[in-house]
Amino acid sequence: MKRNAFFGFLLFPFLSIIISCGSTMSLPQYLEHLDSEEYSPCVSELEKRNAKESNNDRIRDNFELAMIRHYQKDYDSSLSILNTTDRLMDDAVTESITKGFASVVANDNAAEYTGNSYEYIYINVFNALNYYNKGDVEEAAVEVRRLNEKQRKYLNQYGEWIKNDNTQIEISDTYKKLRLDTSKITENIPKKPTEADIFRDSATARYLSIVFAMMDDSVNNSWNVAADSRTLKALNPEFDVEAEGSISDGMGRLDVLAFTGLIGRRGERRLIVGPFPGIQFPTGSHFVYIPAFDLEFVFPEFPAPQTVLMPQEMPTFGWGPSFTIYPGKNEIIKMPQNSVDSIRIVFDGKNVSQNIKLSLLEDFNYAVQQDVNSKARKAYSRSVKRSMVKKFTAVAGATATLLIAEEAVNKEENLFTIAAYAATYLSAAKAADQIDRTETADIRQVYTLPAQAYAGGIELPGGKYSFKVQYLSKNGDLLKEESFKDIEVKNGKTVLVESSCQK
């Protein structure tokens, strides 16, 4: 029995590596294709993952696939996938609320991906656009109303949980056990989230709510444009909200909603604390010595770290060794390079002479920053607890295996048993040292969401208009141009055109 436990202990790190390599494409490879707008290998990878009966990331992978289909203007496919994903996400979120947002004891990445709070809202934003681009304004409006309901049902409760969650006690207890100088280490760990770190609403959602109300009487009767306008003004004071909520007599309005780039990515921050001195375990008439070891704690960080910081010497208090705290990382997650600096509408012909510059409506990266800020400290606290348990369980396992080898030497001391003991010692020590490699931060997110949304428009007499949406770099270079032909503007109504550039 002891020998089976020993071999299981030694095999654990190896099995963990095998399990983690199940995907056919690494995350950096996937993101490289995505950044280059090479969607075919991304779609193939996502479909391969979703074909598996068990996929903890199914919500994330579905959302990824639906967004790619949306950019490809395959609105039917995107709509079908997002509807399924929305139901899965809603069930997962409902369960989280019922359990009080309880966290898992095992590695966070082993849990089902339920979606980040902003993704729970954005899924309806893009599904509304799917319906609209298919010509169904009423269903598009239903999606925005669903979004409003989610705010009442989920975001408010989630926000209260974030504000009231206190992780300081459990972190402090661990520091005391390790004899760490809390005043020094606190400088390098996530801060407690504040009210400003809680995602509450989307400017793009409020904008769509107003625009849909201005284009359809049945929608307009059921919505409060004034309330949406106040909310949008609070979310983005620089955006011209007044122009969206009123149309002059005898005129109609043409609006363009443009999405640019790809959303920013979170990465892992790894704190390596150690080395702690070797430990001598009394085992009856003997002592088993476990060599010096490190402890590693992880948490998500935004933007994803692109460099390795130098180690910092930190003192302990009372008895104990000095140690280094190393803000390292598991792997570099390359940040997307969003090249678009400005967007304009250029009309064809002489019926409209002026060019219209769109305004920044929403920076989706801010939502990621808020999400990471609200989760990082709790993730760090869970990692501290898990690391302590796993490390000292590993040390105890190493002690047991060394005792077996030591008993063999005591029974018959020869070259073979001594060599076996030495090999066992090295293997057990290495396994105990490697156990922290199984501790990884949960940095999962939907990578295919855009980085920014721009919007704006112009009042025009009723009629059909052709124009181009041009995406410009900071130097004024034309990055992309998308043409729209014979878009009909009706008096007293708004018509919306969606465009995107993922460069």
Side-chain angles (χ1 to χ4, degrees), residues 26-239:
S26 69
L27 178 58
Q29 288 174 321
Y30 175 82
L31 295 177
E32 185 176 351
H33 287 301
L34 195 62
D35 290 343
S36 302
E37 295 184 81
E38 298 170 357
Y39 291 144
S40 293
C42 295
V43 169
S44 177
E45 174 68 11
L46 293 169
E47 289 178 340
K48 193 179 301 182
R49 292 180 198 168
N50 281 329
K52 297 178 181 178
E53 185 174 340
S54 177
N55 179 10
N56 280 345
D57 296 334
R58 192 176 305 280
I59 288 174
R60 194 261 318 261
D61 294 341
N62 275 342
F63 205 153
E64 292 267 306
L65 183 58
M67 287 304 302
I68 291 175
R69 295 306 189 200
H70 186 85
Y71 295 142
Q72 294 174 326
K73 301 187 186 302
D74 183 356
Y75 301 120
D76 285 314
S77 177
S78 181
L79 181 66
S80 175
I81 298 170
L82 281 185
N83 277 335
T84 300
T85 308
D86 195 16
R87 288 192 294 271
L88 291 173
M89 192 180 289
D90 194 53
D91 290 343
V93 166
T94 301
E95 184 177 351
S96 294
I97 293 174
T98 303
K99 293 182 178 180
F101 302 99
S103 60
V104 293
V105 176
N107 196 306
D108 287 354
N109 290 283
E112 178 190 12
Y113 184 78
T114 60
N116 296 304
S117 56
Y118 60 89
E119 292 164 356
Y120 193 47
I121 297 299
Y122 291 152
I123 194 170
N124 296 107
V125 167
F126 286 96
N127 220 20
L129 288 168
N130 281 331
Y131 278 116
Y132 174 73
N133 286 312
K134 282 170 54 63
D136 195 337
V137 178
E138 289 192 19
E139 283 299 322
V142 168
E143 287 295 309
V144 181
R145 285 200 291 272
R146 275 181 51 76
L147 186 154
N148 295 337
E149 178 61 27
K150 284 181 177 183
Q151 284 183 299
R152 290 189 291 271
K153 178 181 178 182
Y154 171 67
L155 287 185
N156 289 335
Q157 294 183 56
Y158 180 75
E160 290 305 309
W161 175 74
I162 291 295
K163 286 192 298 182
N164 296 328
D165 185 50
N166 187 7
T167 58
Q168 186 57 43
I169 296 176
E170 56 196 27
I171 293 175
S172 298
D173 286 346
T174 301
Y175 289 170
K176 289 177 182 177
K177 291 175 183 176
L178 296 176
R179 301 179 183 274
L180 304 182
D181 186 339
T182 57
S183 65
K184 295 294 184 181
I185 198 170
T186 301
E187 298 172 6
N188 295 275
I189 67 171
K191 303 295 185 290
K192 181 177 172 61
T194 66
E195 180 73 35
D197 295 320
I198 299 171
F199 179 80
R200 296 290 192 184
D201 209 332
S202 163
T204 307
R206 294 304 114 219
Y207 167 82
L208 286 177
S209 181
I210 296 169
V211 169
F212 291 153
M214 297 301 295
M215 66 174 60
D216 189 286
D217 289 336
S218 63
V219 173
N220 198 4
N221 290 337
S222 62
W223 285 4
N224 190 335
V225 174
D228 284 321
S229 297
R230 287 194 299 271
T231 303
L232 178 52
K233 192 68 177 178
L235 292 168
N236 186 350
E238 303 299 319
F239 190 77

